[in-house]
Amino acid sequence: MKFFIDTANLEEIKRFKQLGVLDGVTTNPSLAAREAGDFRQLIADICELVQGPVSAEVLATDADRMFAEARELATISPHVVVKLPTTREGIRALARCVDAGIRTNMTLVFQPLQALIVARMGATYVSPFLGRLDDIGHDSMDLLQAIRDIYDNYDFMTEILAASLRHPLHVVEAARIGADVATLPPAVFDRLLDHPLTDIGLQRFLADWKKARG
Ligand code: G3P
């Protein structure tokens, strides 16, 4: 499973890049709005830093303007993946992006048929928002499993990008189901390697060594 980071903050991206397991970045308008400066330059800087897929989302809600924005975003860097909402207009924009060779990440997916349709149309990524489903009392992993099962029945090229992850167990469950990518908020990325027994074990090893060998 590939790891993307779900932030538009350059310092956070730099910090996680140092770990050596960062494959890409996802942003959305809420995340980008927190950062100062020009959006286009921000996406260019992220692409330069990561050298992997960087999702940048359109703001328009009609297909014509979505596609115009998509074309503009795609000129920033070959690493840009254009994020489109999975609405009727988004689907129409997706078809045009596919024809134009623009890579896409279909976002705000909450049910399996949305995922089936965008895969049939040739989306590069599909982003089920797992945490937001759990927030309203659903079991988000049912959705992820349904999408995995459907995709495994066919020869779709679309990668499943598990999004809106809230805690490390979401990452474990997404990996068990076979999500191709998990996009992690920095707070979740930070906790991927933590276990108290690892820290206690290391302290004991070093204390024993010191006691015996001075
Ligand atoms: O990648 C999608 C993600 O940003 C949404 O996460 O936590 O706002 O539901 P959240």
Side-chain angles (χ1 to χ4, degrees), residues 6 26 28 31 83 129 132 163-164 166 183:
D6 195 32
T26 51
N28 61 39
L31 295 172
K83 229 174 170 184
F129 273 30
R132 291 192 194 185
S164 183
R166 300 279 163 75
T183 189

Side-chain angles (χ1 to χ4, degrees), residues 85-165:
T86 308
T87 57
R88 284 175 176 74
E89 291 296 305
I91 297 295
R92 292 179 57 216
L94 168 62
R96 294 168 71 179
C97 286
V98 171
D99 283 348
I102 296 170
R103 290 187 301 160
T104 50
N105 176 356
M106 298 308 291
T107 191
L108 292 166
V109 164
F110 292 98
Q111 51 104 330
L113 292 175
Q114 291 174 314
L116 172 61
I117 287 167
V118 302
R120 270 202 45 173
M121 296 182 66
T124 314
Y125 299 99
V126 62
S127 287
F129 273 30
L130 303 175
R132 291 192 194 185
L133 270 181
D134 290 342
D135 288 347
I136 59 162
H138 288 243
D139 183 346
S140 60
M141 293 303 150
D142 287 348
L143 170 64
L144 192 59
Q145 186 67 65
I147 298 173
R148 181 73 279 161
D149 291 345
I150 290 167
Y151 281 21
D152 286 348
N153 284 339
Y154 303 99
D155 284 333
F156 297 137
M157 299 301 289
T158 306
E159 293 190 47
I160 302 173
L161 194 165
S164 183
L165 303 178

